[in-house]
Amino acid sequence: MTKRERKVIIASSLGTVFEWYDFYLYGTLAAIIGKQFFSQFPPATQAIFALLTFAAGFLVRPFGALVFGRLGDLVGRKYTFLLTILIMGLSTFAVGLLPGYEQIGIAAPIILVALRMAQGLALGGEYGGAVVYVAEHSPRNRRGFYTAWIQTTATMGLLLSLFVIVTLRINLGEDAFQTSQPLFFGLTGGWRIPFLLSIVLLLISIYIRLQMHESPIFQKMKEEGTQSKAPLSEAFGNWKNGKIVLIALFGLVIGQAVVWYTGQFYALFFLQTVLKIDLLTANVLIAWALIIATPFFLVFGSLSDRIGRKPVILAGCLLAAATYFPLFNALTNAANPTYANAIQTVRAEVVADPATCGSLFDPVGIRTFTSPCDVMRRTMSQQAFRYTQVNAPAGTPTQLVVNGGAPIAFTDAKSFSEALGPAMVAAGYPAANDPAKVKIDGFFSALGSAQALKVIAILTVMVIYVTIVYGPIAAALVEFFPTRIRYTAMSLPYHIGNGWFGGLLPATSFAIVASTGDIFAGLWYPVFFALLTVVIGVIFVREKKGVDLAD
């Protein structure tokens, strides 16, 4: 690697790490932010709205890919992702200054969603620019390895956000971090500090990117006057290129996306929401898994230079789909053994007239449930209690039977919710302070706990799956498209796959869990799309490792 190539990679990667840090601060703090900006709703609804606001940033990413991809193919790679980092950084800083619902009412969640969408638009243009810029500076036989450095930035950004958050939580205390830490302008809560600190990272990133020069391949094309005059219509307006976009989306990106978000975000969400592991412990465990597994992005990016992008990515998708259920089962046993035993031994039956029981699927959190059967099942799912539905004769009152004991009749939602917890704990589910749950007090204390190390090992396997599918994906997408439309064409399938199919995974998977009563049912979402990618990829994706990007 030459000094010039090293400078290109460092400059591109550092800026992209910062943008991912910005983007994932919200995801890591979604539960706290939900309480601040959606306090008018019940706690369970707060969590759903917080996740949906997180998802809003993903939903607009493809539109950012179109806007900034077109700009990058018209005016250049450098100036486009200089603009995207500015938008991202200012939006993140503004979240730290935004008053909550108690201060400014409905304006708070509206502004929050707007800022999240601005972040999503910027990220839609950022990633494509950084990847194309590095790829167009790379030797063809090392393109997978060089672009894999950019692939580490998403995980490094998440790791950086976790490090800042965990440090503040330990030093401020949980109450001060979540609500009471006084700041300025009447704002409180240490959770705002990571957002406010981003202004320093923004200034550093802008300075670094101002030192960069335009991609030589794009500069040569611009000097010759051969760049596309209408990259959007050229990339998507004819079947020749449009077909490649669809193949790239369904044959590579969607599987990569669901594996990525399952291994890094759904695993964290599962620890906190289903297994009831405290926020500090869950964040530290994920952070250690990221530290251990991150170098494997470079390993599998380099491997793709030797054997091809397609076999590496599809092997990762297949491996993940085949092992997610046993891995999450092992994670449950390791992190919360009392709970793992309870879901196997406690028999909870919702006995009801099937005519009164409807679908509970509610990924956007806007449905109102009034039927006793629906309210009872939804409450069970929200508290992570496994149940089965037993059909009773018409007119039978809805009731819960635990281990064949006396039925718990349904009177109203509040009374049932208050009675449910003690009844399930008495039957064998863990109490909130159950000592068998994994718990650590600091970042390095995790290394002294055999239970924590076991959880870290399982999480590390999931993150290694992420590195298998994500390490080579940048090189694969760059090689699919010609220079004239490369920024535009590769950005759209990447951000549809990661922004829509991946970004919506936590909310959708949790909705599947809530609608079935099975804590593992949400895994069918990533398993299905990973297998779909394997099938389509094997049939339709052509290996293009090492093609000349100047063609």
Side-chain angles (χ1 to χ4, degrees), residues 476-498:
L477 292 176
V478 165
E479 291 166 338
F480 262 46
F481 303 101
T483 305
R484 291 165 51 85
I485 58 170
R486 180 170 295 129
Y487 199 150
T488 303
M490 68 85 59
S491 294
L492 186 64
Y494 175 84
H495 287 294
I496 288 178
N498 284 275

Side-chain angles (χ1 to χ4, degrees), residues 319-396:
L319 189 59
T323 59
Y324 270 155
F325 280 98
L327 278 173
F328 274 84
N329 187 68
L331 180 64
T332 302
N333 280 280
N336 194 340
T338 306
Y339 178 81
N341 180 68
I343 62 175
Q344 297 296 326
T345 59
V346 176
R347 189 174 75 258
E349 298 175 335
V350 176
V351 182
D353 176 358
T356 66
C357 303
S359 170
L360 297 182
F361 189 67
D362 185 28
V364 296
I366 60 174
R367 294 179 59 192
T368 300
F369 298 94
T370 57
S371 164
C373 177
D374 293 344
V375 174
M376 183 178 285
R377 291 183 299 144
R378 184 172 177 81
T379 304
M380 294 280 289
S381 295
Q382 289 173 341
Q383 297 189 27
F385 296 131
R386 202 171 193 176
Y387 70 88
T388 56
Q389 181 180 331
V390 177
N391 294 334
T396 302

Side-chain angles (χ1 to χ4, degrees), residues 248-304:
L249 173 62
F250 288 98
L252 292 175
V253 180
I254 287 178
Q256 165 263 302
V258 297
V259 172
W260 201 100
Y261 284 96
T262 301
Q264 295 192 165
F265 266 98
Y266 189 64
L268 177 61
F269 183 76
F270 187 86
L271 282 171
Q272 295 176 353
T273 305
V274 177
L275 302 184
K276 309 300 182 185
I277 305 303
D278 70 86
L279 295 177
L280 174 63
T281 298
N283 286 332
V284 168
L285 295 175
I286 286 286
W288 273 113
L290 296 175
I291 291 171
I292 296 168
T294 293
F296 286 90
F297 284 107
L298 305 179
V299 171
F300 291 107
S302 181
L303 180 63
S304 76

